[in-house]
Amino acid sequence: MLYIVPTPIGNLEDITLRALQTLRSSDAVLCEDTRRTQILLSHFGITKPLYRYNENDDRSVDRCLEALAKGKNCALVSDCGTPCISDPGWKLVKAAVKAGIQVSSLPGPSAVVCALAGAGITGGAFTFLGFLPRKAGKAAKIIRSAYALNHPVVIYESPYRVVKMLQLIGKTLGSDTPVIIARELSKVYEEWLRGTVDNLEREMSKKTKVQGEFVLVIDRPADVPMEKEDASDSCF
Ligand code: SAM
């Protein structure tokens, strides 16, 4: 059985009880970076064989698949948050599904959901773009078509490129586009910045050094009404 196990995006206390129980009961843990995962497991007093999983190396995918085919229970983790969400894992999950291996996906931390929940915008549909291509033209095209759906758009960005990304959003969608910046979620210096993309770009440009991890949420224009959603379905 392949278990997809989310891990914290900053605060170690955010790991779920089920994630810990699954890691403890697995035969092996498949991870991006053995050193990083070792630190996490040691923090919780868990000792397990660790296997490096590299999406760009077919042999490493095959190795993991072989262990699963032998009936081993393997926990797939990434460096932070939910595996397969702008992180490695999907190739293995796809191959496992194809090979008839049972897959279980545990709910848990992910920066996209955390940022959206705290953004203070209408719930319901959203478009998650993850990391955009480096080429400005390509990125602008993707942003434009996603925003045309009239849903909030969520982007992951590195501290080195966040100011450039804000400039691109301003150029592509207009300088008064509402944006929420969620920085260092769940960490000591968690920060939320809200405003027009132009103002936020100016504010960020003043910083001598931009540090941390960022999620950008582009909100819908204030004057466009939201389509009514059916909230009658219950989670329970
Ligand atoms: N798998 C992860 C998830 O489920 O969110 C995403 C991993 S992706 C390689 C890393 C990116 O996620 C960062 O560059 C940043 O955009 C976002 N991210 C991760 N942790 C974050 C945090 N604590 N605060 C804000 N953004 C975060």
Side-chain angles (χ1 to χ4, degrees), residues 18-65:
R18 231 181 117 212
L20 288 176
Q21 186 262 324
T22 305
L23 290 167
R24 284 197 183 103
S25 60
S26 292
D27 297 305
V29 176
L30 316 176
C31 59
E32 262 190 280
D33 178 341
T34 50
R35 269 179 42 196
R36 242 184 115 139
T37 300
Q38 188 59 64
I39 293 170
L40 179 82
L41 296 189
S42 301
H43 180 84
F44 292 105
I46 300 170
T47 312
K48 285 289 156 186
L50 293 181
Y51 295 100
R52 189 160 171 264
Y53 167 73
N54 177 358
E55 197 117 282
N56 299 316
D57 175 3
D58 285 345
R59 279 173 311 176
S60 106
V61 180
D62 290 346
R63 254 197 322 267
C64 296
L65 213 54

Side-chain angles (χ1 to χ4, degrees), residues 9 80 82 85-87 110-111 131 156-157 185 213-215:
I9 57 168
C80 84
T82 302
I85 304 301
S86 293
D87 257 346
S110 190
F131 291 103
Y156 282 171
E157 193 48 277
L185 291 166
E213 297 197 272
F214 291 85
V215 181

